[in-house]
Amino acid sequence: MGHVNRTNGGANLLALRSHNTALVLDLLRGAGAEGISRLELAERTGLTPQAVSKITARLREEGLAVEAGHRASTGGKRRTVLRLVPGAGHAVGVHLDRDALRAVLVDLAGTVVAERCAALDLGAGADAVVAAVAGEIETLAKGVWGGAWEVGPGTGSFTGAREGEDARGVRPDEGSSTGAQEGGAGDARPDAGPSASAQEGGAGAAGPGTGPATGTAGPLSDQSLPALLGVGVALPGPLDHTRGVLHRVTGFPEWDGFPLRDALGRRLGVPVVVDKDTNAAALGLAVAGERGSFAYLHLGTGLGAGLVIDGSVHRGARTGAGEFGHQVVQLDGPPCDCGDRGCVEALCLAAVARGDLAEAARVLGIAAGNLIALLDIDLVLLGGRTVATAPDAFLRGVAAVLDERARRAGEEPVPVRAAPGEVADGAAQLVLGPLFGRADA
């Protein structure tokens, strides 16, 4: 087996912050088990073949990529195919709802390896909630890696690998060789686009542990892979994504000003990223392949929206965008927990509580129509556990309102679909996204 660089969580994460490396990793992830050749990587990134060889050699040395056979030749030398090693790193995604918690462990490909669900009282106080979250993450990790995982202030770590794999999550029959030696910065071709012009280590190189993530490296700097790259936490807003500080979470004003990112990071000893549940879900959908501009509307214990504009999550100047549920649509309507009256959230939840799903869907459709008129989005996706109880009723009701709106305007109606995936899965992408070049994670 090739040498594994263990200078930081088993992989040289500083090197992975390179823009060009992120481009290559993203293409390797997208290629899946079939893999992709170095020549294809060069053609699709705009990098020179030499630069691609240097990057892939380093990724193989770090256990993040392996050779996956050869592709039939169309003349000349057969092309060696490379693929991502999903088990070379992991992230935890946590969805904190007002009364429940779901935590998932995902690999680099975004596949859920393990998950846990538990009851939670978001009003129990910060110490109790942080302790509960840390305990669920510990149990989740121990279920995969056994007693090798420990959680404590500044000590979040684990060692060893799963049965049948080496320390990088590579099975013996997959093989690994160091290939070309690591070189300097990748050279972009003169005709390459802007994405290829960034040099290795350039400003566009975000990675785990940068930006909003925090946490003490501690024993992670000396452990074997699979590395836990960090924890993404998604919960109802409003909140400050950049600083990881909560604001007045609707119904739980006592959380105002609480530094959840830092508190959980200190407890776990790994980087932590905090975002709204709707943003995390929208990010997960974009990573999974949803294109263009869309709104993810989440109706559960509350109502919010995650906005993706031209392929990127839109959080706004103060990371507060998407408070969709608190647009007023009835001036003399029922009071809302936010302090206003006639909010979409209050009207929807009241209709759900009395069993009138048709009315809840109609109100949701009216609010979705307002959003379409404002942002001219391509698609509306519905999610959340309330929608999941009767997806057809909500899809029909929202679509009927949007169809009527489009008919009056002489336009094609914006399609409405049920959103695949879960919030917790998207929360894990808050950690993994920068590794693959997503600046909106």
Side-chain angles (χ1 to χ4, degrees):
M1 295 292 177
H3 170 69
V4 178
N5 184 341
R6 294 185 174 88
T7 59
N8 189 0
N12 186 351
L13 298 182
L14 289 175
L16 296 181
R17 292 172 188 166
S18 142
H19 176 73
N20 292 340
T21 301
L23 291 176
V24 171
L25 277 170
D26 190 45
L27 289 173
L28 286 169
R29 178 174 63 169
E34 292 184 3
I36 187 171
S37 71
R38 292 178 180 84
L39 180 59
E40 290 172 295
L41 288 170
E43 290 173 345
R44 295 180 62 179
T45 60
L47 296 170
T48 64
Q50 294 86 348
V52 169
S53 291
K54 292 172 185 177
I55 292 169
T56 55
R58 184 169 62 246
L59 294 177
R60 293 175 66 203
E61 182 182 350
E62 291 164 348
L64 291 164
V66 292
E67 291 185 353
H70 296 83
R71 195 158 287 168
S73 173
T74 56
K77 186 178 178 181
R78 289 195 305 164
R79 297 179 184 177
T80 301
V81 174
L82 302 171
R83 70 164 180 83
L84 183 72
V85 179
H90 294 78
V92 170
V94 180
H95 179 200
L96 297 182
D97 210 339
R98 292 170 174 84
D99 59 359
L101 173 156
R102 179 174 182 258
V104 298
L105 182 72
V106 308
D107 62 21
L108 294 181
T111 302
V112 175
V113 175
E115 69 176 291
R116 284 186 61 81
C117 297
L120 178 78
D121 179 7
L122 201 59
D127 290 344
V129 171
V130 169
V133 173
E136 291 299 327
I137 292 173
E138 179 180 12
T139 303
L140 184 71
K142 283 185 174 180
V144 176
W145 290 291
W149 171 263
E150 294 181 355
V151 169
T155 63
S157 64
F158 58 82
T159 57
R162 284 172 288 179
E163 184 178 355
E165 295 179 343
D166 74 358
R168 297 166 297 165
V170 179
R171 295 191 176 276
D173 58 350
E174 290 175 334
S176 176
S177 59
T178 56
Q181 297 300 310
E182 178 181 351
D187 298 323
R189 292 174 178 164
D191 59 346
S195 64
S197 63
Q199 297 300 309
E200 293 291 303
T210 66
T214 189
T216 305
L220 278 177
S221 60
D222 239 353
Q223 71 192 26
S224 302
L225 285 178
L228 181 64
L229 300 177
V231 175
V233 181
L235 72 163
L239 54 81
D240 184 334
H241 166 67
T242 305
R243 298 189 300 125
V245 174
L246 306 189
H247 294 324
R248 293 178 63 86
V249 177
T250 305
F252 299 90
E254 64 271 22
W255 282 98
D256 190 20
F258 183 75
L260 179 61
R261 182 193 71 183
D262 293 348
L264 197 55
R266 284 193 298 269
R267 177 72 181 244
L268 295 173
V270 297
V272 174
V273 186
V274 172
D275 205 350
K276 292 199 294 188
D277 46 10
T278 50
N279 288 341
L283 175 64
L285 292 166
V287 169
E290 289 293 349
R291 302 291 182 233
S293 299
F294 63 86
Y296 166 76
L297 307 184
H298 184 93
L299 180 59
T301 57
L303 173 62
L307 306 175
V308 173
I309 307 299
D310 295 330
S312 295
V313 176
H314 176 74
R315 295 185 176 88
R318 291 169 294 278
T319 73
E323 289 299 312
F324 171 81
H326 299 293
Q327 56 175 302
V328 174
V329 294
Q330 185 178 331
L331 294 179
D332 57 348
C336 180
D337 287 340
C338 73
D340 218 328
R341 301 184 70 90
C343 292
V344 177
E345 177 177 296
L347 294 170
C348 272
L349 294 180
V352 170
R354 62 177 183 265
D356 192 350
L357 296 187
E359 175 63 9
R362 186 185 73 85
V363 172
L364 185 58
I366 291 171
N370 293 341
L371 195 61
I372 291 169
L374 184 66
L375 298 177
D376 194 22
I377 54 178
D378 306 314
L379 173 68
V380 172
L381 294 166
L382 304 183
R385 71 190 199 200
T386 300
V387 171
T389 62
D392 290 341
F394 280 99
L395 288 171
R396 282 196 308 268
V398 172
V401 175
L402 298 186
D403 288 352
E404 176 59 23
R405 176 188 174 277
R407 186 191 63 76
R408 292 195 306 267
E411 302 170 346
E412 287 295 317
V414 171
V416 182
R417 298 205 314 261
E422 297 281 351
V423 171
D425 303 24
Q429 293 300 328
L430 294 168
V431 175
L432 296 180
L435 189 69
F436 297 97
R438 288 203 68 99
D440 58 341

